[in-house]
Amino acid sequence: MSILSGPAPLLVAVPAMSAVLLALVPSYRVGALLNVAACGLTFALALLLLGAPRIAGPFLIVDDLNIVFVVLNTFVAFTTAWFSAGYIAHELETGRLTPLNLRFYHAMYQVLLGAMTLALMSNNLGVMWVAIEVATLTTVLMVGLYRTEAAIEAAWKYFMLGSVGIALALFGTILVYMVAQPVVGEGAGGMIWSVLMKRARDFDPALLNVAFVFLLLGYGTKVGLAPLHAWLPDAHSEGPTPISAVLSGLLLNVALFAVLRFKSLLAAHPGTLAPGPLMMAMGLGSLLLAGFMLYRRRDIKRLFAYSSIEHMGIIAFAFGLGGPLANFAGLLHMTMHSLTKSAIFFAVGHACQVKGTQELAKIRGLTTSHPLLGWSLVAGVVAIAGLPPSGVFMSEFLVVTSAFAARPWLALILVLGLLTAFGALMVKLSGIAFGEPSPGTDPVKASYVPMGVHLALVFAAGLYLPPELVAWFRHVAAVLG
């Protein structure tokens, strides 16, 4: 069976065609509905991958690893588009955005979804690099959508730091091709993942080690790992809230996926250095930095941007630790973080609109002024802080136990970082949810459904994981090595 006859090419084609259509649609309401419908269709196609054969072509590949990312990404993209329809309508009513801005926004949303999906499904490491670069440039444009001085500054900062990261990743990609060329010959074969994995044992280990360092630094910039994280808080705080949700819940995962692909390549060669220590060091550094920085945040979106850095650090640490349990925990934590953090940004978007500000000091007493919104945000923060019975608690518990089993001293640092971040989030939550209500009693206009669905899935996962999901994640964990 050819990969071109399955759902894989449609997963890239549907967003591409939708982007062109949305750029031409003058009506905001029609554009918003089409955006939701296109994302829903893409998610449905992603679900078809679960029953599709695992095959590889010259440009696209369907395997157990990328199916996890594609299904998660398309689901969160769909629910975020749903949330976005009401949220962006309010921005239009208040004059922060114009109808032309919204046409651009909806078209770029589909370009971003298509680029991320292509990056995840590409069987060519060069195409994957190009797709991640397109996704980066698209989000740069969307971060600056409000055209304020702060938004433009954040977009330029993201562009400059992202360009440095993608340049390092390009150099690492070129080195991998140089390693493969003497073994597989000139031409496209040296860029094809399925070919590289089969011949990995024959590559020069020294040059492969150097390539991974550049790739980890390059794609690690996109993941938001310290000390390469400086773009992330600005981009999250100044762009539209749906883009903050997409950045935290989706784009960071795509860059992490690229790192895992190359880590698997090194793991297939017994002569290379273990990539795990580098990933664990950057992961713990990100966790500790974010944990302490959370105490000083005065902007609610920046607060949860640093929380994203914290959790990407936990995920990087888990995959760096390696082994069946740690890899399983990393996959589960990545899934729970995407669902929880996007739900939190949905709640934050609602709160910022009804209070008219992003300043933490002016967003207080939400459980009194807006009970449903306030308690939803409480549930989201409780989940992301790792309290039971959330799925985040389960994944963090697995990361900690696997760390104590393999690296006890590193586990102590991990626990210190988790407790530091936990304390900061609880301190901030007390004022946001239970303080004296601040001015701003407008009703929430956007839908609560996407936020409710995400939180329901997160807390359900803390109580029960379907055996099929556990078996699937175990298999992928074993593949990662």
Side-chain angles (χ1 to χ4, degrees), residues 387-470:
L387 289 176
S390 70
V392 178
F393 166 77
M394 180 180 292
S395 59
E396 285 186 355
F397 179 78
L398 293 175
V399 174
V400 170
T401 53
S402 58
F404 270 110
R407 307 285 180 95
W409 287 106
L410 293 182
L412 293 176
I413 300 174
L414 175 67
V415 171
L416 172 64
L418 291 173
L419 291 176
T420 302
F422 172 81
L425 288 173
M426 291 300 105
V427 168
K428 299 295 183 182
L429 178 63
S430 62
I432 297 170
F434 307 113
E436 184 68 25
S438 56
T441 57
D442 294 339
V444 174
K445 296 182 179 180
S447 174
Y448 279 105
V449 173
M451 178 171 57
V453 169
H454 282 213
L455 292 176
L457 289 172
V458 169
F459 282 99
L463 299 172
Y464 174 76
L465 286 176
E468 296 80 8
L469 180 67
V470 173

Side-chain angles (χ1 to χ4, degrees), residues 111-127:
V111 171
L112 176 59
L113 177 56
M116 291 190 297
T117 305
L118 178 59
L120 295 173
M121 302 196 66
S122 174
N123 196 27
N124 183 298
L125 56 92
V127 173

Side-chain angles (χ1 to χ4, degrees), residues 142-160:
M142 297 176 84
V143 165
L145 190 64
Y146 288 128
R147 299 295 187 268
T148 63
E149 183 178 341
I152 293 173
E153 180 184 347
W156 272 106
K157 187 174 184 180
Y158 181 20
F159 175 74
M160 297 300 293

